[in-house]
Amino acid sequence: ILAPDLVDNELNIPTPESEEWNELSPTNLRILSNYNTLAERVSELSVKDRLEFLDYVIEHVYLLCCVPETATIARNIVMGQGKGMNTEAIDDFKGLVCFRYTSDEKDMYETFDQWDKLASTPDAELGSVGRNTVAAACVLRATAALQTKIRKNDEALSLENWLRKDLIENGYEGKEFYKNNVQPASRALDIYRDGSFDSFQFVVNSGKEHAELIKTIKMRLSFLRGLTSGIAATKESEIITLDLLLRAEGDGTKALALDELDMCLNSIEALAIWMAISRPSPMIRNKRVFDILEIIDSGVLLDDMSAHVISDTEKAQLKEDLSHFAFGASPAGKKLAITLLQRLNMHLLAGDGKQADEMLSHNHVEHVLPTNTYRKYWMEQWPDEEMKTMWT
């Protein structure tokens, strides 16, 4: 319908004559009626209006529904939803970056091939990180740039808003956006989640004089990784962590200094512990993350950011919550206990000048005292009331 005047060779689509309509099924009759109505309306539009209408359909119409001839066709359409037959937000975003917002055809396909390579099966030697990591990195960076929580149903629109905002601010196209945003963020997130911190350029390029500082930074990253990988309440802190890592990986004067990175990560550790123990609402967690990002964006990094991360009142409440937190009540609680104990162990070993191991996923935490017992058991184990009170 939109093709005439928009293509060189006019398309001639044959439709049934009016005398043949009686032979059509109710389904096909409705389709033909809709077609004729739309064709009549479109015929009144100019070429410019048709192009605008076509753009609107491409951007906002995700599925054209039909009245199927049989129940089998209807069932196939319904079963196709969410079964891998439809694109996800990251696929639409890839198309926008590679084609819609890139003008040169050669650049389009070069960017498309580079994205495909990046999103293929994870392989450190080939520089591939996997499709899920690319998608996660894009959502994290879009959240940081837009400073708003991105819900699952809004991912496609939010990613495009991030893309447009960045293109307007920097005056380049999709090709440069991919190289400056998608690629570095995906690789940094992959290194962080994999725990292979030695692959970061700021670690590779650091000299012997920064050996102790690098060791501390790696301990902090390992702790944050342990929290964000297993405790949902701390996932928002990953937004700041990725932002800091990208700043540290920057070039020349734009790069975040190692001592500044260490100071910021120290504050984010406190933030993540507060999120995991005190369990603030998602709205409060997101607002706190955005407030910290604004401080970092201002370029004025304070000697101590802790006052801007959690208040004195929240610190006091956190200490109280630590004393009463039921670490063994859930798998997430045990994961938190393991991560806290490992971080404490790394801190003590580093204080003694010893090499601390990375966070180990095979460690387990169990109660020193049995959780399910009967009254007689306690009396047999601690017949002395004072000892029983002290230990239980």
Side-chain angles (χ1 to χ4, degrees):
I1 292 174
L2 295 170
D5 299 325
L6 301 184
V7 295
D8 294 333
N9 298 320
E10 186 171 331
L11 302 179
N12 184 18
I13 303 176
T15 56
E17 299 295 337
S18 57
E19 56 269 17
E20 300 175 328
W21 287 16
N22 292 333
E23 301 176 7
L24 296 177
S25 67
T27 299
N28 286 332
L29 189 61
R30 179 176 296 185
I31 293 173
L32 180 61
S33 175
N34 291 339
Y35 176 86
N36 290 332
T37 301
L38 184 58
E40 182 180 356
R41 294 292 301 276
V42 169
S43 66
E44 302 171 1
L45 301 178
S46 65
V47 173
K48 180 176 179 295
D49 291 336
R50 292 187 193 186
L51 285 171
E52 290 181 356
F53 181 45
L54 182 61
D55 281 343
Y56 180 86
V57 171
I58 291 173
E59 292 183 13
H60 299 286
V61 177
Y62 298 98
L63 175 67
L64 294 176
C65 297
C66 70
V67 182
E69 289 275 9
T70 66
T72 302
I73 296 176
R75 190 177 299 111
N76 288 339
I77 293 175
V78 173
M79 293 303 292
Q81 307 306 306
K83 301 297 183 181
M85 297 177 66
N86 305 300
T87 60
E88 296 183 8
I90 191 61
D91 302 309
D92 292 334
F93 186 55
K94 176 182 177 182
L96 291 174
V97 173
C98 298
F99 298 105
R100 185 170 181 80
Y101 290 97
T102 300
S103 57
D104 185 80
E105 186 174 356
K106 181 180 178 183
D107 291 340
M108 290 180 184
Y109 288 101
E110 283 183 356
T111 307
F112 183 83
D113 291 340
Q114 290 172 8
W115 190 309
D116 263 359
K117 179 181 177 183
L118 181 69
S120 58
T121 305
D123 189 318
E125 293 183 0
L126 296 177
S128 305
V129 301
R131 182 172 178 272
N132 291 337
T133 300
V134 175
C138 287
V139 171
L140 289 173
R141 296 305 294 150
T143 303
L146 302 175
Q147 295 208 1
T148 182
K149 177 178 173 59
I150 297 178
R151 303 184 185 280
K152 189 68 177 175
N153 293 338
D154 298 331
E155 278 189 13
L157 181 59
S158 297
L159 288 173
E160 183 173 5
N161 287 340
W162 169 44
L163 170 62
R164 289 182 172 180
K165 178 176 182 290
D166 189 78
L167 296 185
I168 292 172
E169 290 177 354
N170 295 285
Y172 50 51
E173 294 190 345
K175 176 183 178 181
E176 289 77 16
F177 177 86
Y178 169 79
K179 290 183 177 179
N180 295 337
N181 293 277
V182 177
Q183 187 179 69
S186 300
R187 288 179 174 168
L189 184 63
D190 180 63
I191 293 172
Y192 168 71
R193 289 185 172 181
D194 185 60
S196 52
F197 307 128
D198 289 330
S199 299
F200 283 121
Q201 285 302 309
F202 66 81
V203 176
V204 175
N205 298 332
S206 62
K208 292 182 179 179
E209 67 275 13
H210 294 128
E212 289 301 318
L213 190 55
I214 288 294
K215 185 188 299 182
T216 304
I217 289 173
K218 289 166 65 176
M219 284 193 296
R220 298 193 194 287
L221 288 174
S222 186
F223 174 64
L224 289 169
R225 172 176 170 263
L227 290 177
T228 55
S229 64
I231 302 168
T234 65
K235 291 298 290 184
E236 287 84 355
S237 64
E238 198 172 46
I239 299 170
I240 310 177
T241 303
L242 180 58
D243 185 81
L244 292 172
L245 290 173
L246 289 171
R247 292 174 185 271
E249 291 282 86
D251 297 326
T253 56
K254 295 182 179 180
L256 191 67
L258 291 178
D259 58 339
E260 293 175 329
L261 175 62
D262 180 63
M263 180 269 293
C264 291
L265 289 176
N266 180 33
S267 299
I268 306 310
E269 282 186 300
L271 176 71
I273 294 174
W274 172 68
M275 289 178 171
I277 300 294
S278 297
R279 302 276 176 166
S281 68
M283 184 178 69
I284 293 176
R285 296 199 303 265
N286 279 288
K287 185 179 185 307
R288 190 65 53 87
V289 166
F290 299 147
D291 289 343
I292 296 171
L293 285 173
E294 285 187 359
I295 295 174
I296 297 172
D297 283 336
S298 69
V300 183
L301 293 176
L302 309 176
D303 292 336
D304 184 9
M305 289 179 60
S306 59
H308 297 270
V309 174
I310 52 176
S311 65
D312 291 337
T313 303
E314 289 168 340
K315 288 179 183 177
Q317 185 61 48
L318 176 59
K319 291 179 181 179
E320 182 70 17
D321 294 338
L322 273 169
S323 301
H324 299 92
F325 191 85
F327 287 100
S330 66
K334 289 187 177 183
K335 174 72 174 177
L336 176 57
I338 294 170
T339 307
L340 289 172
L341 290 172
Q342 286 181 323
R343 180 66 180 96
L344 178 61
N345 184 56
M346 295 169 77
H347 174 75
L348 294 174
L349 288 174
D352 294 336
K354 299 178 181 178
Q355 180 65 38
D357 293 330
E358 296 293 331
M359 294 281 184
L360 302 177
S361 59
H362 59 262
N363 285 351
H364 301 280
V365 171
E366 299 296 339
H367 286 273
V368 175
L369 302 177
T371 55
N372 299 315
T373 60
Y374 48 91
R375 182 176 179 82
K376 182 180 178 182
Y377 177 90
W378 293 115
M379 299 306 296
E380 291 174 351
Q381 295 299 315
W382 287 289
D384 182 81
E385 187 67 27
E386 182 179 350
M387 183 175 289
K388 182 181 74 170
T389 302
M390 181 179 68
W391 289 106
T392 64

